[in-house]
Amino acid sequence: MADQQLQAKPEQWTDEQWQAIVQRGNNLLVAAAAGSGKTSVLVERIIRRIMDEKDPVGVDQLLVVTFTNAAAAEMRHRIGDALRKALKDDPHSSHLRRQLALLQRATITTLHSFCLGILRQYYYLIELDPDFRIADQMEGELLRQDVLEEQLESWYENDADFHALADVMLDGQDDHALTILLLRLYEFSRSHPAPEQWLGEAAGMFAVHDKNGLDGLEWTRSVLRSVELALGGMTAKMRRAVLLAGSPEGPAGYLPLLEAEAAALQRAGAACRDGWEATVEAVRGVVFAKLPPVKGTDPLVKEQVQDLRNSVKKELAEQIEQYFSTTAEQYVADLQRIAPHMQTLARLVTAFSDAFQLEKRSRGLVDFGDLEHLALRVLTETNESGETVPSSISTQLREQFAEVLVDEYQDINLVQETILQMVSRDGANGQPANRFMVGDVKQSIYRFRLAEPKLFLEKYVTYQKDGDADEASIGRRIDLAANFRSRREVVDAVNFLFRQIMSHGVGEIGYDPSAELINRASYPEAQPNRLQAEMHLIDRNTAIAEEGQAVAAEGTDEGEAGIPEGESAEEASVAQLEARLIASRIRRWMESGEGEEPLLVFDKKAGGMRPLAYRDIVILLRATSGWG
């Protein structure tokens, strides 16, 4: 156990937080749940590294990577406050004074800013104009569109393979779909360290070489995983129908048929793990016979059972139509026919990328994606065997940084991961690994920006959790599950909900006891039946119909009803329905009923309870445009 861990743990930290603060010697992944104090832990770790009496580290020897400039500024501010407090306690410390002076030059930054600093310093290694500037978003998009149009003209004139691809993809003269595809592939490929290699591998997935046909393809495994998940949902619905039919008010005469159908669906789901042909046979073996007549049953329960069964029949028919209406031989033939076009597509994306980079270079421009890829060129080189290895600059940075700390690690991509690897020690040559990564994969929301949460999940699974990480271990994982932010009512509601819906199949991580939030917040007891989590379901079809009838009766047209321009009546009605529900809840909280006490909330500054104010209420929307 590291010497630091032998220090007495201050009372304000949990055991897990303290481990995250003092543990050294391995790469460390901290899975920090919402409200677990991860920022405080990160700051405390940095401060203790700087103030360590046995092995002090200069603030300029730390690389702290945050997700936003605002987070970097807050981190720098909190570190400064902690240093000033320590200096007040020890005013004669020259080390603390020096660290406070160095703080503004410390590498506490976003990854883009870090890459920009590398390029400003080492531009000459990659023949980059030292006066380069970052293109703004509009300028970059217009230039990209101009270059693509030039490339399309050239391909239309001189590229027979492009003509063949266009003939397959395009309907008529509009090449918009092909343009969108080219740009999407370009953007996605740039999230990989070697875009051209990734494009080639992606195109190669269409080639059928394996003697097993479809079962040898990644496509098949992906489709079968999706089908298995869908069949699992259908089986659950049928089990629900069985329970309803077996109830005292249910249509018991349906039971034998429902149980047989549920078992057939379950067998079909299991067959998805045995290959394509086995799945096709099992899915087509699910047959829905005519339900027998039943008497003496509750009509509502009977209707519920029938609705559940009918929805399963519809879902199964959709799965068969989507995946199993074509034979395996036809699929293989289609893939073989498409494969050359995919090779052409990969080549075109690479050609466009080269032309775009050349045009930006001629204008002295880089975009945010270029910052990462150009920095990676500075940090890597190719050895005699053709392998990508750290460059001399990378080696220098590894020597400089005693520790590399990464916040919001769940939202980085493969390029960023490679950059971090190049500037971090990997445990070789007698130097301990020195990466500290903190985040929560359950809060990963930037996959649409090409974040790759699987990087977090891979370490979450492979890093050791319990006990001290041994010398041969890849890394150590610490779970911060204690929530210091929310009332128990909120924590219990979140845990209950995510236990039902989060699984490896749906969310790539299971919501097991190690992932659940643990309530540690200290609040006064809430008023009975006043503060509790609620979920309201609006029957939109019924409510919208009633809304329409009311509007018609009043003789109000859409414009008079306040529907925003460009928004349908149904969308507006849905927004109005939700707004009215929210307003009714707020009014109920703010206006106490007769004989009812005002709703009280805890005020941290006042140190006690006070009546609810409007400023205490937050309404969260996915987007405010039109709805806000």
Side-chain angles (χ1 to χ4, degrees):
M1 184 178 291
D3 291 341
Q4 289 81 2
Q5 286 183 282
L6 297 176
Q7 302 174 25
K9 176 177 71 69
E11 291 184 1
Q12 71 264 34
W13 304 109
T14 67
D15 291 343
E16 293 78 15
Q17 286 176 326
W18 185 243
Q19 288 177 16
I21 289 169
V22 301
Q23 177 70 33
R24 300 184 199 169
N26 296 90
N27 286 334
L28 192 62
L29 179 73
V30 178
S36 61
K38 72 177 180 67
T39 304
S40 298
V41 166
L42 187 56
V43 171
E44 185 70 16
R45 181 179 178 88
I46 292 170
I47 294 300
R48 288 185 175 272
R49 290 300 315 256
I50 294 172
M51 298 174 58
D52 191 318
E53 295 180 358
K54 294 183 178 180
D55 184 24
V57 169
V59 70
D60 56 336
Q61 293 178 274
L62 300 174
L63 170 58
V64 184
V65 177
T66 63
F67 201 70
T68 65
N69 289 320
E74 181 190 357
M75 186 75 65
R76 195 183 301 271
H77 177 74
R78 293 177 70 160
I79 293 170
D81 284 347
L83 284 173
R84 280 185 283 272
K85 181 180 178 183
L87 191 59
K88 186 177 180 180
D89 295 335
D90 185 9
H92 302 295
S93 173
S94 59
H95 174 67
L96 290 176
R97 289 187 182 278
R98 175 173 169 76
Q99 301 316 306
L100 198 55
L102 288 172
L103 182 59
Q104 293 308 312
R105 291 167 45 195
T107 315
I108 304 171
T109 181
T110 65
L111 201 56
H112 282 142
S113 295
F114 176 65
C115 292
L116 179 60
I118 290 177
L119 298 184
R120 293 290 186 203
Q121 187 172 1
Y122 299 107
Y123 62 89
Y124 55 89
L125 294 176
I126 52 174
E127 300 179 356
L128 181 64
D129 185 342
D131 293 327
F132 74 87
R133 64 181 178 85
I134 300 175
D136 63 50
Q137 184 175 358
M138 182 61 69
E139 181 182 18
E141 289 181 0
L142 290 174
L143 184 59
R144 184 176 65 174
Q145 196 63 42
D146 289 343
V147 172
L148 183 56
E149 288 177 3
E150 291 177 4
Q151 291 295 112
L152 286 169
E153 289 180 10
S154 173
W155 295 332
Y156 274 119
E157 291 178 3
N158 306 310
D159 197 321
D161 290 337
F162 172 76
H163 281 265
L165 174 65
D167 288 341
V168 170
M169 282 200 60
L170 303 182
D171 182 15
Q173 301 299 313
D174 187 4
D175 58 12
H176 180 69
L178 182 55
T179 300
I180 294 299
L181 179 59
L182 286 166
L183 291 176
R184 286 183 64 188
L185 280 172
Y186 166 75
E187 290 290 345
F188 194 85
S189 69
R190 298 282 288 170
S191 70
H192 293 259
E196 187 173 351
Q197 178 184 338
W198 178 84
L199 285 165
E201 292 173 352
M205 290 176 65
F206 288 83
V208 183
H209 301 299
D210 196 287
K211 65 180 180 180
N212 295 324
L214 285 182
D215 285 334
L217 299 176
E218 179 60 33
W219 302 107
T220 309
R221 290 189 286 274
S222 178
V223 168
L224 290 182
R225 282 195 294 268
S226 176
V227 172
E228 182 181 7
L229 189 63
L231 287 168
M234 295 179 217
T235 303
K237 280 189 178 182
M238 289 300 293
R239 295 294 182 199
R240 173 64 178 160
V242 168
L243 286 174
L244 287 171
S247 66
E249 302 83 7
Y254 291 173
L255 275 175
L257 196 56
L258 294 175
E259 289 173 340
E261 290 165 352
L265 286 165
Q266 188 170 5
R267 287 194 297 272
C272 292
R273 305 188 180 188
D274 298 329
W276 186 263
E277 294 298 339
T279 303
V280 172
E281 182 179 354
V283 167
R284 294 195 177 279
V286 181
V287 178
F288 294 93
K290 185 177 180 180
L291 289 171
V294 291
K295 295 181 180 179
T297 182
D298 187 326
L300 183 58
V301 176
K302 179 181 176 182
E303 184 179 357
Q304 287 179 311
V305 172
Q306 292 176 346
D307 286 346
L308 284 167
R309 185 173 182 266
N310 288 335
S311 70
V312 169
K313 289 170 63 177
K314 181 181 178 181
E315 289 176 32
L316 184 64
E318 290 172 350
Q319 291 287 315
I320 292 173
E321 174 65 26
Q322 184 172 1
Y323 297 117
F324 305 117
S325 59
T326 300
T327 66
E329 291 75 18
Q330 288 173 315
Y331 272 130
V332 170
D334 286 344
L335 286 169
Q336 290 173 335
R337 180 174 58 85
I338 292 171
H341 299 306
M342 296 301 101
Q343 295 291 342
T344 299
L345 189 59
R347 175 176 61 81
L348 297 176
V349 174
T350 300
F352 161 70
S353 177
D354 292 342
F356 188 32
Q357 298 307 316
L358 191 63
E359 184 64 27
K360 284 186 289 186
R361 185 68 63 92
S362 71
R363 297 170 182 245
L365 295 177
V366 297
D367 56 29
F368 285 110
D370 293 330
L371 291 177
E372 295 172 351
H373 280 276
L374 292 173
L376 201 54
R377 284 179 54 190
V378 172
L379 295 172
T380 59
E381 59 188 23
T382 304
N383 64 15
E384 296 177 353
S385 303
E387 300 172 325
T388 299
V389 295
S391 68
S392 59
I393 305 302
S394 174
T395 303
Q396 292 175 24
L397 291 172
R398 287 183 174 187
E399 290 294 327
Q400 174 185 340
F401 296 128
E403 187 158 281
V404 176
L405 303 101
V406 188
D407 195 11
E408 305 294 358
Y409 181 70
Q410 76 278 356
D411 286 322
I412 71 166
N413 63 33
L414 283 166
V415 180
Q416 297 164 344
E417 167 73 358
T418 307
I419 291 170
L420 292 170
Q421 287 176 350
M422 291 300 107
V423 298
S424 305
R425 299 170 190 170
D426 55 10
N429 303 319
Q431 292 185 318
N434 68 337
R435 253 212 285 179
F436 179 89
M437 298 153 284
V438 60
D440 181 12
V441 74
K442 299 187 294 300
Q443 298 184 62
S444 180
I445 60 173
Y446 288 108
R447 187 167 256 177
F448 73 99
R449 292 184 184 173
L450 306 180
E452 185 45 89
K454 287 184 180 179
L455 294 168
F456 186 104
L457 286 169
E458 180 183 348
K459 292 179 176 61
Y460 187 86
V461 172
T462 57
Y463 280 16
Q464 290 185 352
K465 179 185 175 184
D466 298 319
D468 292 326
D470 57 47
E471 295 181 359
S473 69
I474 302 172
R476 175 83 181 271
R477 171 187 133 208
I478 296 173
D479 293 334
L480 300 185
N483 178 283
F484 298 91
R485 179 184 300 160
S486 305
R487 280 187 171 274
R488 178 174 298 280
E489 292 84 355
V490 174
V491 171
D492 289 347
V494 169
N495 283 337
F496 172 79
L497 181 63
F498 282 99
R499 284 189 204 109
Q500 320 304 315
I501 64 175
M502 187 173 285
S503 66
H504 290 281
V506 175
E508 299 176 329
I509 185 172
Y511 205 76
D512 57 19
S514 66
E516 292 180 2
L517 297 175
I518 301 172
N519 178 252
R520 292 286 179 85
S522 178
Y523 287 101
E525 284 296 320
Q527 297 158 283
N529 302 320
R530 294 302 302 277
L531 279 180
Q532 54 190 354
E534 303 175 6
M535 184 172 78
H536 296 267
L537 301 178
I538 300 174
D539 186 340
R540 292 181 173 181
N541 294 328
T542 302
I544 289 172
E546 293 174 352
E547 180 87 5
Q549 292 171 3
V551 169
E554 295 170 7
T556 308
D557 60 26
E558 286 190 5
E560 293 171 344
I563 297 174
E565 185 177 351
E567 191 171 303
S568 70
E570 180 174 336
E571 289 174 329
S573 297
V574 169
Q576 290 166 357
L577 290 169
E578 292 192 9
R580 289 178 183 177
L581 173 63
I582 293 168
S584 70
R585 302 302 297 162
I586 293 174
R587 184 173 180 178
R588 177 180 168 186
W589 294 328
M590 295 297 298
E591 300 176 6
S592 303
E594 185 176 349
E596 190 175 45
E597 295 181 6
L599 178 61
L600 302 179
V601 295
F602 179 72
D603 189 319
K604 186 175 182 180
K605 291 183 179 179
M609 306 293 284
R610 61 164 172 79
L612 177 73
Y614 284 110
R615 66 177 182 273
D616 301 316
I617 301 169
V618 177
I619 301 172
L620 300 178
L621 299 171
R622 185 176 293 273
T624 57
S625 177
W627 287 64

